[in-house]
Amino acid sequence: MNASHFKYLISACLCGRNCRYNAGSSKIESLCELYRSGQAVLVCPECLGGLKIPRAPAEILGCRVVDFSGGDVSAAFRLGAERVLQIAVKYGVELAILKERSPSCGSRMIYDGSFSGRKIPGQGITAALLRKNGITVVSEEDIAASPDILLK
Ligand code: SF4
């Protein structure tokens, strides 16, 4: 595999990196294998935006991203998304596989901003920016439901 090209860009927490807000991961073995085989670059948009591990949980509320204590973390989320886009373009990524329901990575559903566990249709800041720039975004749940999404 040419290191200047990666077929996939994957949320780092899906490949076992403990970068979630609670310092945990959401590891999925089949996605780890894409990384181990040299086909994927891993990113954590929130870390790339300068947020710490662990950090307060955050949700999208209107056009802002707020954390559990009400702090506005929109700038960090936008910076992280921009950095992920730069990485995707640099490596010619063909498909982004991002963690569902995250305020950065969610691609179909997100939490509604009330921190009550309610979900609504929507997408995270990074997923939206990648799509806006022509990059196909799916989630780990899409892959589980339709493994043939993975590029041949
Ligand atoms: S920002 Fe994305 S990659 Fe980082 S922990 Fe959250 S879901 Fe995982």
Side-chain angles (χ1 to χ4, degrees):
M1 176 65 55
N2 181 349
S4 66
H5 173 71
F6 290 102
K7 206 183 262 191
Y8 306 106
L9 175 144
I10 305 179
S11 293
C13 60
L14 292 174
C15 291
R17 296 273 168 88
N18 292 322
C19 53
R20 292 192 63 199
Y21 74 92
N22 60 0
S25 79
S26 305
K27 187 174 180 182
I28 294 180
E29 194 52 43
S30 59
L31 299 182
C32 295
E33 185 49 37
L34 293 178
Y35 174 61
R36 283 196 293 266
S37 64
Q39 300 182 77
V41 59
L42 304 187
V43 296
C44 174
E46 292 170 28
C47 299
L48 287 166
L51 296 172
K52 304 276 185 266
I53 306 168
R55 54 191 174 278
E59 296 189 4
I60 294 176
L61 184 60
C63 55
R64 298 186 306 144
V65 187
V66 293
D67 70 18
F68 188 68
S69 53
D72 187 329
V73 287
S74 308
F77 274 66
R78 288 198 201 102
L79 176 61
E82 290 288 348
R83 288 185 166 157
V84 171
L85 176 62
Q86 287 169 4
I87 290 167
V89 170
K90 175 179 176 185
Y91 291 114
V93 161
E94 296 164 49
L95 181 69
I97 305 169
L98 301 185
K99 174 80 183 76
E100 193 59 280
R101 292 180 292 281
S102 152
S104 290
C105 294
S107 58
R108 287 182 195 276
M109 300 291 289
I110 54 171
Y111 291 101
D112 73 352
S114 66
F115 294 91
S116 64
R118 274 200 301 272
K119 287 165 251 174
I120 54 173
Q123 56 186 345
I125 305 296
T126 294
L129 186 65
L130 292 179
R131 282 178 169 151
K132 192 173 161 193
N133 284 273
I135 296 169
T136 303
V137 178
V138 298
S139 74
E140 77 284 11
E141 295 177 359
D142 295 324
I143 301 287
S146 305
D148 57 349
I149 289 172
L150 293 179
L151 306 165
K152 299 291 181 282

